[in-house]
Amino acid sequence: MMSEPSVADVRLRTDKPLDAWWTVVVVDPIAVRAVWFVHRFLPWVTPGVLTGISFALGVVAAVGFALDRNITAALFYQAGFLFDCMDGRLARLQRKTSELGALLDGLTNHLVYVFALLGIVYGNYGDRELTVLCFLLLCLRVASIHLNSYLHREVTGTHSHFVTAQDSWLARHRLLPPGAFPDKHAVLFLAAPVLGWWLPCFAAVAILEAAMVVLKFRKAVRETGMAPPPPE
């Protein structure tokens, strides 16, 4: 009879090779223990159930932003992100990963992102600068997702197309370069509403997202052979 995995076993078997700073430093220590608890004591909970809970919490967060309950909304958003990290870990632990699960997980992530930004626009009605930044972020997100289909993912299991060398300090600590999607979420949906720094936080993320779109476009041009040949 196989023994139940320990917390250390769960971490070893479910860690991604690389992940965002916010995920690795803040969320993972909680997610690993929560997945161990679910696997040990709630065997009826499937990865799909966790995905559904993540989506529901994200929708509640968006409503909270729309109602100007910003700190509460920020907490619900981060709770939803915690469950989003848990569903993939549980699937890997139980060897229940699937293309459908990955599709639903990604779809719910993008929908929650859109709902949260729209909730912030509604909750800050009349703030034209913030509205423009929110819609700019949506446009940049669409462009970024579209470019992903033309890019080769350098490390399987990560949500970034830009990584450092395998022997770098970042890689040894499972860290992507700063500014991955979860890092930007932490700025938009936690730092901004809690601190009240809407415009500085949203402007900083918009600049970072625009730079990322430019880098992805250049990389896509190179990888797909669309770049002109070098001069002889």
Side-chain angles (χ1 to χ4, degrees):
M1 182 176 178
M2 295 182 62
S3 61
E4 291 291 337
S6 65
V7 172
D9 293 331
V10 172
R11 181 183 297 278
L12 182 64
R13 291 163 58 178
T14 65
D15 271 352
K16 291 181 179 179
L18 296 171
D19 217 325
W21 283 66
W22 180 251
T23 305
V24 173
V25 175
V26 179
V27 180
D28 272 354
I30 304 171
V32 169
R33 289 163 175 79
V35 167
W36 172 85
F37 180 87
V38 169
H39 178 73
R40 181 71 177 83
F41 298 106
L42 303 173
W44 55 271
V45 174
T46 65
V49 169
L50 297 180
T51 301
I53 294 173
S54 173
F55 180 69
L57 290 171
V59 171
V60 172
V63 173
F65 285 129
L67 297 177
D68 202 25
R69 302 291 191 270
N70 294 319
I71 294 179
T72 300
L75 295 176
F76 271 100
Y77 192 97
Q78 293 306 318
F81 182 63
L82 171 63
F83 277 90
D84 179 44
C85 294
M86 288 172 60
D87 62 4
R89 282 187 178 275
L90 186 63
R92 292 190 291 276
L93 179 64
Q94 299 180 344
R95 298 181 180 179
K96 293 181 179 179
T97 57
S98 67
E99 291 294 331
L100 177 60
L103 185 151
L104 292 176
D105 186 40
L107 178 62
T108 57
N109 288 343
H110 295 313
L111 287 175
V112 167
Y113 180 76
V114 172
F115 293 161
L117 287 178
L118 293 178
I120 289 170
V121 169
Y122 187 88
N124 293 271
Y125 181 78
D127 189 331
R128 287 182 294 181
E129 291 84 0
L130 184 58
T131 299
V132 169
L133 284 172
C134 285
F135 282 101
L136 175 61
L137 285 168
L138 287 174
C139 293
L140 290 170
R141 191 71 236 155
V142 170
S144 183
I145 293 170
H146 175 69
L147 288 168
N148 285 346
S149 60
Y150 293 90
L151 293 172
H152 169 69
R153 196 176 295 273
E154 295 184 24
V155 178
T156 303
T158 72
H159 40 63
S160 177
H161 294 273
F162 299 95
V163 299
T164 56
Q166 291 183 355
D167 59 349
S168 68
W169 183 89
L170 289 177
R172 292 197 303 271
H173 291 81
R174 295 200 310 114
L175 292 168
L176 292 167
F181 203 40
D183 297 335
K184 289 178 281 193
H185 277 209
V187 174
L188 292 175
F189 305 122
L190 183 62
V194 170
L195 299 175
W197 298 349
W198 291 105
L199 291 180
C201 289
F202 274 61
V205 172
I207 292 171
L208 183 60
E209 192 82 329
M212 187 63 65
V213 167
V214 171
L215 291 174
K216 284 186 176 182
F217 180 79
R218 293 178 59 186
K219 188 177 181 183
V221 168
R222 292 196 304 269
E223 291 184 358
T224 56
M226 292 185 288
E232 296 181 358

